[in-house]
Amino acid sequence: MSGDDELATRTWPEIEAATVFVPLGSTEQHGPHLSLGTDTAIAVAVARGLVAVHGGLVAPEIAYGSSGEHEDFPGTVSIGAEALELLITEFGRSAMRWAARVVFVNGHGGNVGALAAAVTRLRREGRDVAWLPCGTAAPDPADTHAGRIETSVMAHLRPGDVRPDRMAAGETRPLDELLGVLRVAGMRAVAPTGVLGDPRGATAASGEVILAEMIATARARLEGTVDRYGCLQKVLT
Ligand SMILES: [Zn+2]
């Protein structure tokens, strides 16, 4: 992707009142086989894909999020929900002094509570701010963290961040069966290797297809309506 659509490479007279896409990720364990920057890399790729089809600018990514449930694993850095909510709120207030719209592109499920709180507040204040998740049209509840989906997308985006020799099946029960323990005791209590899903069989080729589907799903949301959590929802036709 050229630097043309990147906020950070423009000068101020080159800024028009455009939609600004803000990748929001995490620095968080993704099993023994996938890098800590996975969520951020995927959010950046989806934001760039959106700008390519929709226009607008990609802001420098927010690479830290609310990842408390992963803090038992070395490398994870969580700023927590409270700090993240404040960060998103002040980002939106500042950027909306010149942007036409701000859309946060979220790569990490743990950020959703803070995102919803901050974005609904910004909207109450009269600012055109919204968010959308990075996901496929029909998410697999048994592949939610460092499984085949994320591993494939990373094999496509950043093959050097994948360690094929360390891929192993993690906990493969659906997420809703695990959430109770996950929220109270953290990821390590649910999945000792930090994987929810099975990364084996991930390929760069399927990652390219999955990423394209994530971008298409995000684009469909962009044309849709904002729900009471500030999240863009595709209009059902
Ligand atoms: Zn992830």
Side-chain angles (χ1 to χ4, degrees), residues 26 28-30 34-40 42 70 107-109 144-147 150:
S26 72
E28 167 186 297
Q29 75 80 19
H30 273 73
L34 210 50
S35 66
L36 293 145
T38 292
D39 292 341
T40 308
I42 292 173
H70 296 275
H108 172 52
T144 54
H145 189 77
E150 283 187 316

Side-chain angles (χ1 to χ4, degrees), residues 43 60 89 101 123 131 133 139 142 147 149 156 161 163-164 177 187 199 204 207 224:
T89 304
R101 189 183 208 191
R123 294 183 66 80
W131 66 277
I149 293 170
H156 165 59
D161 284 21
R163 319 275 188 267
E177 286 181 30
M187 180 66 114

Side-chain angles (χ1 to χ4, degrees), residues 148-223:
R148 191 185 52 79
I149 293 170
E150 283 187 316
T151 305
S152 295
V153 175
M154 286 300 276
H156 165 59
L157 285 175
R158 291 193 193 172
D161 284 21
V162 184
R163 319 275 188 267
D165 54 322
R166 291 189 181 152
M167 284 184 196
E171 172 58 64
T172 55
R173 279 181 291 165
L175 184 61
D176 58 355
E177 286 181 30
L178 309 169
L179 269 180
V181 180
L182 190 61
R183 288 204 176 107
V184 176
M187 180 66 114
R188 197 148 211 163
V190 173
T193 62
V195 176
L196 300 181
D198 186 351
R200 293 172 299 174
T203 65
S206 62
E208 187 173 12
V209 173
I210 294 166
L211 179 63
E213 194 187 330
M214 286 178 168
I215 293 166
T217 304
R219 196 190 179 191
R221 288 175 180 270
L222 215 48
E223 315 299 333

Side-chain angles (χ1 to χ4, degrees), residues 129-146:
V129 180
W131 66 277
L132 53 82
C134 299
T136 51
D140 180 351
D143 183 350
T144 54
H145 189 77

